[in-house]
Amino acid sequence: MDMFLPKRALFEREALDYAVGQQVYYKMQQLGVETLFIGSHNRVTGIPGKTPQEAFFESKRTLVVGVRRSLDFQTCKPSAHYQLPLVTGCMGECEYCYLNTTLGKKPYIRIYVNIDEILKRAGEYISERKPEVTIFEGAATSDPLPVEPYTGALKKAIEFFGSTRNGLFRFVTKFTNVESLLDAAHCGRTTIRFSINNQFIIKNFEHRTPSAQERISAAAKVAGAGYPLGFIIGPIFHYPGWRQDYEEMLERLGTELNAAAGCSVSFELITHRFTRRAKTNILEVFPRTKLPMDEKQRVFKYGQFGYGKYIYPKEKMDEMKNFFDEKIREIFPQSKILYFV
């Protein structure tokens, strides 16, 4: 469930010039994974799939290993200053995921082997902005944790930022294989966030991901290791029984985390929304989806990037916001709610 076991692994030849590339290659050989060489990680051929559905699921089982040539980082506002490009893509098959739109018809999982070069560049960005603190997001277009057993990139990044004075790191995951990170010298400079939802939503829409309880247990381990801890609750759905399902989830979270005394917790709350393009893509891959995407039940709102989204009407948004404000403050009185959208 947690470690990504690909059906095929596609390597740039230059990736084997790096220790991480060699490490991943030999691991794929040991596991009996089909390994092939490609010209570029940006122009990947060889992933089968005649229909959008086939292409999607075959891509989700494909690992691409390459060298990141551009060391210019994308910005990542408003949550961080820059993306830290260690991984692209995710092995999860969540029906609503925005990566299903942004990563195209074949959203394969890609890892970069020149981790030291990427972290050196991060150090340069930090130096340029001194004495300001520079924040880096490690999961803007990925869930990096399932490939961590192959690369060790997250642990290396955590310890790199632990050694800086002006850099902070953060990433979010739905997965639970956190053991290799628990003894990292993080020095409180990395925030690990878990994307969680109630079990009804996970079961229906978040395929090939751990259960709510497994994620909560992993979060307790991270809190016990002294990391700053955060939760993204999202997407939040309004449906018959939503209050009870989310209340049970929050109470279970509170029970487990109270055992990990002294941890600081932040929450990011994101309601379900969709674009017309996303709806089209979702229906191509998940034609029987039960995602609530009836445009008549939503309000159309233009976003900051020039396209519109269908969001819940104001009365439902207010109802959900008030519920989460009240419950989170009751169960986690020391926590921060960073935003509700």
Side-chain angles (χ1 to χ4, degrees):
M1 174 68 76
D2 274 322
M3 180 169 155
F4 176 49
L5 182 61
K7 194 171 173 181
R8 66 190 64 81
L10 311 179
F11 288 77
E12 289 182 340
R13 289 193 181 277
E14 295 90 331
L16 298 189
D17 294 338
Y18 293 80
V20 173
Q22 292 176 20
Q23 181 181 304
V24 177
Y25 183 80
Y26 291 126
K27 187 66 177 174
M28 293 299 117
Q29 298 277 300
Q30 283 180 337
L31 293 170
V33 174
E34 178 188 14
T35 51
L36 303 166
F37 286 100
I38 54 172
S40 167
H41 65 76
N42 288 317
R43 289 185 298 278
V44 175
T45 57
I47 301 175
K50 293 178 182 175
T51 67
Q53 203 170 25
E54 286 175 6
F56 176 85
F57 289 113
E58 289 291 346
S59 298
K60 285 286 188 175
R61 288 158 176 75
T62 302
L63 179 67
V64 173
V65 184
V67 179
R68 184 173 174 91
R69 286 166 180 80
S70 169
L71 292 177
D72 292 331
F73 294 180
Q74 297 288 315
T75 57
C76 195
K77 295 175 182 176
S79 61
H81 297 99
Y82 297 103
Q83 298 178 20
L84 188 74
L86 301 174
V87 181
T88 304
C90 172
M91 67 175 260
E93 294 171 0
C94 301
E95 295 185 14
Y96 54 75
C97 183
Y98 69 94
L99 294 181
N100 298 349
T101 301
T102 57
L103 294 184
K105 301 293 185 186
K106 293 189 175 181
Y108 52 84
I109 292 85
R110 173 170 50 191
I111 58 179
Y112 300 111
V113 296
N114 50 330
I115 298 164
D116 291 334
E117 293 170 15
I118 291 167
L119 292 176
K120 182 184 175 190
R121 184 69 181 107
E124 291 168 2
Y125 278 111
I126 292 169
S127 296
E128 287 165 13
R129 296 189 74 256
K130 278 182 180 176
E132 300 292 322
V133 170
T134 304
I135 304 170
F136 295 81
E137 170 61 65
T141 58
S142 68
D143 191 318
L145 198 55
V147 295
E148 178 66 7
Y150 300 132
T151 67
L154 279 177
K155 185 170 187 178
K156 189 169 268 198
I158 288 166
E159 295 196 326
F160 168 81
F161 286 100
S163 71
T164 69
R165 286 190 175 182
N166 295 83
L168 293 175
F169 184 43
R170 65 204 303 266
F171 68 91
V172 62
T173 184
K174 282 186 170 80
F175 294 88
T176 59
N177 53 308
V178 296
E179 282 71 19
S180 68
L181 308 181
L182 299 181
D183 65 349
H186 59 79
C187 302
R189 304 197 70 78
T190 290
T191 300
I192 299 181
R193 293 127 69 224
F194 287 85
S195 174
I196 59 169
N197 222 309
N198 67 61
Q199 192 54 35
F200 173 81
I201 298 302
I202 292 172
K203 182 181 175 184
N204 282 282
F205 305 124
E206 298 188 356
H207 313 300
R208 293 183 81 213
T209 67
S211 68
Q213 183 56 52
E214 288 170 315
R215 298 182 207 181
I216 291 169
S217 297
K221 292 177 188 174
V222 163
Y227 281 94
L229 181 64
F231 294 95
I232 294 180
I233 304 179
I236 299 166
F237 289 89
H238 192 290
Y239 60 92
W242 68 271
R243 281 173 171 270
Q244 182 180 345
D245 290 349
Y246 283 113
E247 186 169 357
E248 284 176 5
M249 181 200 76
L250 287 167
E251 286 176 351
R252 202 177 318 142
L253 191 59
T255 301
E256 294 247 2
L257 288 188
N258 283 338
C263 68
S264 59
V265 185
S266 64
F267 288 90
E268 299 162 76
L269 307 173
I270 305 172
T271 58
H272 179 244
R273 66 273 320 283
F274 61 92
T275 64
R276 196 164 276 140
R277 183 181 167 205
K279 180 178 177 179
T280 301
N281 289 349
I282 290 165
L283 290 172
E284 281 185 338
V285 176
F286 300 100
R288 296 182 181 178
T289 185
K290 293 178 182 173
L291 279 173
M293 296 189 293
D294 181 355
E295 288 146 20
K296 292 173 188 164
Q297 303 293 317
R298 301 297 182 102
V299 173
F300 187 75
K301 180 183 178 184
Y302 275 105
Q304 59 178 318
F305 302 112
Y307 58 86
K309 299 177 181 179
Y310 290 93
I311 65 171
Y312 283 111
K314 185 179 186 301
E315 60 273 16
K316 287 187 176 177
M317 293 286 269
D318 289 345
E319 187 186 358
M320 291 188 285
K321 184 178 189 299
N322 293 336
F323 166 81
F324 280 99
D325 276 350
E326 185 181 315
K327 276 291 154 195
I328 287 172
R329 295 194 195 291
E330 176 190 317
I331 298 169
F332 301 95
Q334 305 300 318
S335 69
K336 289 182 185 173
I337 297 176
L338 301 182
Y339 58 82
F340 174 95
V341 294

